[in-house]
Amino acid sequence: MSLRWMDGGESHGKGLTVIIDGIPAGLKINPERINTYLQKRQKGYGRGGRMSIEKDVVDIRGGIRRGETTGSPVVIFIENRDWINWKEKMDPFKVSGERLTKPRPGHADLPGYLKYNRRDLRDVLERSSARQTATRTAVGAIAREILEKLGVYVTGFVRQIGKIGFSGEVKSGKAIGEKIEKSIVRCPDEETTKLMCEEIERAKQEGDTLGGVIEVICENVVPGLGTYVQWDRRLDAHLAFSLMSIQAIKAVEIGSGIENASKRGSEVHDEIFYSRDKGYFRKTNRAGGIEGGTSNGENIVLRAYMKPIPTLRKRLHSVDVESKKEEFAFFERSDVCAVPSASVICEAAVSIELASFYLEKFGGDTMDELRENLYHYNEYLKRK
Ligand SMILES: Cc1cc2nc3c(=O)[nH]c(=O)nc-3n(C[C@H](O)[C@H](O)[C@H](O)COP(=O)(O)O)c2cc1C
């Protein structure tokens, strides 16, 4: 892909490092904008105590000079403030801390233990933890800067927490931006926000956890991103992969894909219209802006389904991997519901993927080149 990134670091280690390759030169970067985005990921009703310790900020270690990208890989470090409390346990060479041996159902503990042959489940959970999403959010913040320069807006918000859902129609993410920021669960509806908070509180009192549904809308996307000509170049497949790669996301829907499966074709497919002003357009968008693995010019609409958090106070049955005796899974400080945070992460993941497709189609080593290529494509579209 045109935009590649890879990160490393543990949840309670010194911090996380990410290297991003493929960012064009000449993109203005304001670290405060990235930090604001990181802080959005940390908020949300239902998060655990960890988030009151962490105040994520980016430490730029390469690829940016005089406030602009240089074309070199961008290197970012995000410190774990909590590390100070874990220094001994997380020391790369000392042997300290009690070993964890009772895997949590729904977490990576048991498969990670079997795969890597570790005696302490902490070796698994430190990397499988969603703390990793801090770096993804930072990459997403940079991808958003590229997209905004191209006139594209990506918005993620919460549709559902547990059984409490918001079913109102949302045509533009941009239009509900303020409402999302006002809501403590990142849901644009005030009344549903209240009900969602009550649902989270109930789960918390009962020692339980919740999942939910996130919606991401991408606006002003050109037609022609992705392609049907080769299976692994489809835009829908890449967007689904990027969302599914987020911890605890277990299903992805494009447009009204789930509902469409039980309807007739005549009720599903978005009929095509043409006007001089608008060019080709649709009156409905059940396809979610993608046909034949290619963007069709309508908004791209995606939904990600998140399972409930697997670390529970209400303990689940497990087996001690040392003694093989039946035990309860271990409990460690945890979130009750992380759907609001996940909405920020989903927005970041989609932004990264979309920016990558823009870079692939319009190329260029600099932002000016990229914008110019897009301009010519838009001129061509006007003639079609
Ligand atoms: C933003 C976010 C926060 C999360 N917080 C927790 C948590 O506090 N405790 C927990 O057990 N799982 C948490 N999870 C979920 C686990 O990371 C995830 O279930 C685990 O890594 C296993 O991966 P899988 O669910 O994709 O199979 C969180 C996920 C996200 C996206």
Side-chain angles (χ1 to χ4, degrees):
M1 286 309 294
S2 329
L3 203 162
R4 301 180 300 156
W5 63 279
M6 192 177 271
D7 69 355
E10 272 75 37
S11 178
H12 298 96
K14 271 190 190 172
L16 300 149
T17 303
V18 60
I19 300 179
I20 318 156
D21 186 43
I23 305 283
L27 177 69
K28 293 216 177 340
I29 298 288
N30 175 353
E32 279 319 308
R33 277 176 67 112
I34 307 177
N35 292 339
T36 305
Y37 207 50
L38 288 182
Q39 278 140 31
K40 280 185 200 177
R41 187 200 74 94
Q42 295 191 270
K43 288 188 197 148
Y45 199 75
R47 296 222 71 185
R50 172 87 189 262
M51 288 306 126
S52 53
I53 299 172
E54 300 299 345
K55 290 277 171 296
D56 289 343
V57 289
V58 287
D59 174 355
I60 309 274
R61 297 192 169 181
I64 296 173
R65 288 197 69 229
R66 298 170 200 251
E68 276 192 9
T69 53
T70 59
S72 305
V74 174
V75 185
I76 294 176
F77 177 73
I78 302 171
E79 185 188 22
N80 288 329
R81 290 202 174 177
D82 202 16
W83 175 69
I84 205 78
N85 305 314
W86 290 77
K87 233 171 149 177
E88 286 289 310
K89 279 189 196 163
M90 292 306 293
D91 187 286
F93 302 105
K94 278 188 198 154
V95 178
S96 81
E98 207 183 310
R99 279 191 289 122
L100 296 172
T101 55
K102 296 160 192 148
R104 294 160 298 174
H107 223 294
D109 303 349
L110 184 61
Y113 158 80
L114 295 171
K115 181 174 170 69
Y116 293 104
N117 192 20
R118 308 312 301 156
R119 291 197 64 206
D120 182 0
L121 298 179
R122 179 157 306 286
D123 291 351
V124 177
L125 77 92
E126 281 294 331
R127 184 62 191 155
S128 63
S129 158
R131 174 76 189 135
Q132 179 273 330
T133 57
T135 51
R136 194 197 294 250
T137 307
V139 183
I142 295 179
R144 277 173 62 88
E145 295 290 332
I146 300 177
L147 291 173
E148 279 188 24
K149 298 283 177 304
L150 306 178
V152 179
Y153 292 90
V154 181
T155 313
F157 65 95
V158 173
R159 266 280 175 203
Q160 194 176 318
I161 287 182
K163 290 195 173 75
I164 309 295
F166 163 60
S167 56
E169 194 182 6
V170 177
K171 283 204 166 159
S172 156
K174 231 169 135 185
I176 55 162
E178 258 180 53
K179 289 183 179 166
I180 300 169
E181 295 310 325
K182 259 199 195 157
S183 164
I184 195 163
V185 285
R186 304 193 71 78
C187 169
D189 186 68
E190 232 176 277
E191 188 51 34
T192 318
T193 294
K194 255 203 273 169
L195 297 175
M196 285 174 170
C197 290
E198 284 166 16
E199 179 76 346
I200 295 170
E201 205 45 47
R202 267 194 300 276
K204 188 177 175 184
Q205 296 311 323
E206 291 163 20
D208 225 322
T209 60
L210 290 167
V213 183
I214 293 135
E215 186 162 313
V216 182
I217 303 181
C218 313
E219 288 165 80
N220 205 22
V221 177
V222 287
L225 297 182
T227 177
Y228 50 86
V229 303
Q230 204 56 262
W231 68 274
D232 60 351
R233 293 171 59 197
R234 294 179 63 105
L235 179 62
D236 44 7
H238 280 264
L239 289 170
F241 180 82
S242 71
L243 287 170
M244 284 290 278
S245 70
I246 298 169
Q247 295 84 339
I249 300 297
K250 293 298 139 195
V252 175
E253 180 182 16
I254 299 182
S256 49
I258 293 174
E259 219 180 294
N260 293 353
S262 57
K263 288 186 174 170
R264 294 194 169 187
S266 57
E267 299 170 296
V268 168
H269 301 300
D270 306 306
E271 292 177 290
I272 303 171
F273 300 89
Y274 179 85
S275 82
R276 264 176 182 248
D277 301 347
K278 292 190 197 168
Y280 299 101
F281 71 96
R282 318 291 174 106
K283 293 181 182 169
T284 54
N285 187 20
R286 289 181 281 260
I290 305 176
E291 290 168 311
T294 312
S295 61
N296 64 8
E298 300 299 313
N299 286 350
I300 294 179
V301 183
L302 305 146
R303 285 187 184 181
Y305 292 72
M306 184 176 190
K307 74 183 187 185
I309 299 286
T311 308
L312 303 179
R313 278 190 197 281
K314 193 180 199 172
R315 296 203 185 165
L316 298 179
H317 281 271
S318 183
V319 171
D320 189 309
V321 292
E322 295 265 295
S323 68
K324 308 288 187 279
K325 285 196 181 129
E326 193 177 324
E327 296 271 4
F328 286 118
F330 75 86
F331 177 82
E332 184 163 292
R333 184 184 55 190
S334 183
D335 299 328
V336 172
C337 172
V339 183
S341 310
S343 73
V344 178
I345 302 158
C346 287
E347 185 181 299
V350 168
S351 300
I352 299 167
E353 212 52 43
L354 212 53
S356 191
F357 271 88
Y358 265 93
L359 288 166
E360 182 188 77
K361 181 157 175 61
F362 300 105
D365 296 307
T366 67
M367 282 305 294
D368 284 347
E369 242 183 303
L370 179 63
R371 265 198 302 245
E372 200 162 319
N373 293 342
L374 175 63
Y375 170 81
H376 290 299
Y377 182 65
N378 277 327
E379 288 300 301
Y380 149 79
L381 289 177
K382 282 183 199 159
R383 298 193 298 273
K384 288 302 284 180

